[in-house]
Amino acid sequence: MERLERSGRWLRAALARGPLRRRLPALLLAIAVLGSALKDSDLVPDTPLQNKRNPLNVYFVKVAWAWTLWLLLPFITLSTYELGRSKLLYGRTRSALLVLRRLGALLVGTAVWYLCTELFIFIENLTGECSLQGQPSQPGQPPRLYASKRDCQRDSGVWNGFDISGHCFLLSYCAMMILEELAVLEALAIEHSSKLRVVINVLLVSLCSLTMIWVFMFLCTALYFHDFSQKLLGVLIGLAAWYGTYRYWYLKPFSPGLPLPNIPLSSKKYSYSR
């Protein structure tokens, strides 16, 4: 338990505070630009990570939103309820309502993930054409026109379209969302002997580890996959989704709200690290 407590404190200092949240967008853009430059210059060595079937890609990145959702759901629920129940905020009933409001951020995130993914598929289908290799057309028959990447691949063809990097979009959006939600720890008061503190520490370590995986796999995507424009557009859409929610919409009354309400942070009594 002591090791878990130390890990929680170190990770909170490294990932949950403001400076990294402010610098991560620029870091992600820099990774996309420099990674693409290295890829185009053929300076990237061959590694197992360039295989799309590597374990990190199959078991984490392919279901990145599910991992993010499953860990943020209990974290937001427990941390928001505990924060809202304190004397500085609300009673139990209003704390429960605050939890429901804050969980709306996960519904918004799910909508962002789904709509952007569908938009990327639509753009790729709209801009692409199918190339059938080794399959000569039948005499007197016009070549078949394919409306989608799925139909083309069903006939063993190769679809050439503008494939916006879904990995760059989703990994940047998930990483920024996790760091935003961890900001609540700056005002969360939990006793050292509390079981809730142990649960929060486990979730904190898990979320910070997941964030590091997302940034690392973002780097791998920049080094091994997609064209520069596809990666740049993907990360810009991911950052725009984060900025439009946490930096604009969530400041409004009719929204899920920010993780950290306007309470006096100068009070040492309400510090997670006490």
Side-chain angles (χ1 to χ4, degrees):
M1 291 300 178
E2 185 178 352
R3 180 176 297 179
L4 178 63
E5 176 68 22
R6 288 200 304 267
S7 299
R9 287 191 177 188
W10 183 85
L11 287 171
R12 185 179 72 89
L15 294 178
R17 292 182 177 174
L20 184 58
R21 285 199 303 276
R22 294 192 295 268
R23 295 167 185 168
L24 185 58
L27 175 62
L28 292 173
L29 287 170
I31 290 174
V33 172
L34 295 177
S36 298
L38 291 174
K39 176 179 179 291
D40 294 340
S41 302
D42 294 326
L43 297 176
V44 183
D46 293 337
T47 69
L49 293 170
Q50 70 188 84
N51 187 340
K52 293 183 178 181
R53 298 188 178 274
N54 72 77
L56 283 176
N57 192 55
V58 173
Y59 297 111
F60 283 91
V61 179
K62 291 293 186 182
V63 286
W65 180 244
W67 278 105
T68 304
L69 181 67
W70 292 339
L71 288 176
L72 280 180
L73 179 61
F75 179 81
I76 292 175
T77 301
L78 295 174
S79 61
T80 303
Y81 184 82
E82 182 65 18
L83 182 64
R85 197 172 59 87
S86 69
K87 293 181 181 179
L88 285 178
L89 294 177
Y90 314 119
R92 293 194 175 189
T93 301
R94 292 193 65 187
S95 293
L97 294 177
L98 180 63
V99 170
L100 292 177
R101 179 188 178 188
R102 288 266 42 258
L103 288 177
L106 297 181
L107 292 178
V108 173
T110 301
V112 168
W113 161 72
Y114 178 79
L115 292 175
C116 288
T117 301
E118 291 299 311
L119 175 63
F120 296 167
I121 294 174
F122 174 77
I123 291 175
E124 186 177 11
N125 288 334
L126 185 67
T127 59
E129 61 180 7
C130 186
S131 175
L132 297 175
Q133 300 177 353
Q135 298 185 23
S137 59
Q138 298 295 329
Q141 292 184 357
R144 178 182 173 182
L145 298 178
Y146 292 87
S148 69
K149 179 179 179 179
R150 178 179 298 180
D151 293 339
C152 175
Q153 291 180 335
R154 189 179 294 123
D155 288 347
S156 301
V158 176
W159 187 261
N160 300 307
F162 189 75
D163 182 16
I164 300 174
S165 177
H167 284 184
C168 285
F169 152 71
L170 188 56
L171 295 177
S172 60
Y173 180 64
C174 287
M176 292 305 306
M177 185 175 184
I178 290 173
L179 291 187
E180 288 287 354
E181 294 298 337
L182 290 180
V184 72
L185 295 177
E186 291 299 309
L188 193 61
I190 306 176
E191 296 290 344
H192 278 283
S193 58
S194 171
K195 292 182 179 180
L196 177 60
R197 189 180 182 96
V198 176
V199 176
I200 292 292
N201 273 333
V202 170
L203 290 171
L204 170 61
V205 171
S206 300
L207 284 166
C208 289
S209 300
L210 195 64
T211 301
M212 288 186 282
I213 292 175
W214 293 162
V215 174
F216 176 71
M217 292 307 294
F218 184 94
L219 171 63
C220 293
T221 300
L223 290 174
Y224 293 112
F225 304 103
H226 291 283
D227 296 334
F228 170 67
S229 58
Q230 298 168 350
K231 288 178 282 195
L232 181 62
L233 188 55
V235 67
L236 287 176
I237 293 175
L239 294 178
W242 155 73
Y243 190 90
T245 51
Y246 285 90
R247 290 291 183 266
Y248 181 75
W249 181 31
Y250 291 178
L251 300 176
K252 308 297 182 181
F254 297 101
S255 72
L258 292 173
L260 196 59
N262 294 324
I263 64 177
L265 297 180
S266 58
S267 174
K268 293 183 179 180
K269 180 179 178 181
Y270 289 90
S271 171
Y272 175 77
S273 59
R274 70 170 182 167

